[in-house]
Amino acid sequence: QKEVEQNSGPLSVPEGAIASLNCTYSDRGSQSFFWYRQYSGKSPELIMSIYSNGDKEDGRFTAQLNKASQYVSLLIRDSQPSDSATYLCAVSRGGGADGLTFGKGTHLIIQP
Amino acid sequence: ETGVTQSPTHLIKTRGQQVTLRCSSQSGHNTVSWYQQALGQGPQFIFQYYREEENGRGNFPPRFSGLQFPNYSSELNVNALELDDSALYLCASSPRGPNNSPLHFGNGTRLTVT
């Protein structure tokens, strides 16, 4: 059974601070890792993808991957109230036939 | 703008009925995937279609079935609806066949079964 675990939160962060979101996964065969943002009542929106160990930065977002520890994280710098949402971690073996396995998401609240 | 469009936006059905949800893939994308997202949960993989054939399936019963058409649009059919089928149904398309491409979801169809 492939599992992706996230702290459901809510995680409350002051505006302007760094928000740190974490995710662990059980399938060592996972090759692709994604972070999605989902506003209430909306569909998930892809914000980051990462495939190799280390950090990947895109604007205010940094994804970090450690395959040995089976751990993925997302850092959001200079957090804004508009970042308040549920963040979903998703992993895949690649090839697509198994689909993405999602965690339940972390609810992030940015306090003005 | 993902280019993936789903219809209808909302739907209310009665237990035991059948429902068809539709998805129009982004231009040039030949692979489509369907996911079910229950309230408070992450999306769960239903199945994937590539070149009109199902080439991957999650842990969903046979009453969940699909079609992909030559123009790469797709349908999700659910028979004998149950109350637990109430969820947001998401469609995503990707290019170049099943691979590691990130998925971009459509706006979803919210199905309520009463």
Side-chain angles (χ1 to χ4, degrees), chain A residues 88-103:
Chain A
L88 296 162
C89 173
V91 307
S92 169
R93 278 182 160 256
D98 289 341
L100 295 179
T101 301
F102 282 83

Side-chain angles (χ1 to χ4, degrees), chain A residues 32 36 38 43 94-95 97 100 104, chain B residues 35 37 41 55-56 98 100 102-103 106:
Chain A
S32 309
Y36 287 82
Q38 187 172 28
S43 66
L100 295 179
K104 293 183 178 181
Chain B
Y35 287 77
Q37 186 177 23
Q41 304 294 314
N55 79 324
N100 290 342
L103 295 183

Side-chain angles (χ1 to χ4, degrees), chain B residues 2-17:
Chain B
T2 67
V4 178
T5 57
Q6 293 186 242
S7 63
T9 304
H10 295 85
L11 201 53
I12 299 174
K13 289 286 190 177
T14 302
R15 188 172 51 184
Q17 288 186 317

Side-chain angles (χ1 to χ4, degrees), chain A residues 2-23:
Chain A
K2 292 178 282 187
E3 294 183 344
V4 176
E5 299 289 340
Q6 296 181 255
N7 189 322
S8 61
L11 174 65
S12 186
V13 174
E15 183 176 358
I18 296 175
S20 178
L21 305 164
N22 304 314
C23 168

Side-chain angles (χ1 to χ4, degrees), chain A residues 26-45:
Chain A
S26 64
D27 182 7
R28 285 198 170 274
S30 299
Q31 297 293 324
S32 309
F33 306 86
F34 308 96
W35 283 98
Y36 287 82
R37 177 177 62 198
Q38 187 172 28
Y39 294 114
S40 182
K42 303 295 185 181
S43 66
E45 173 193 9

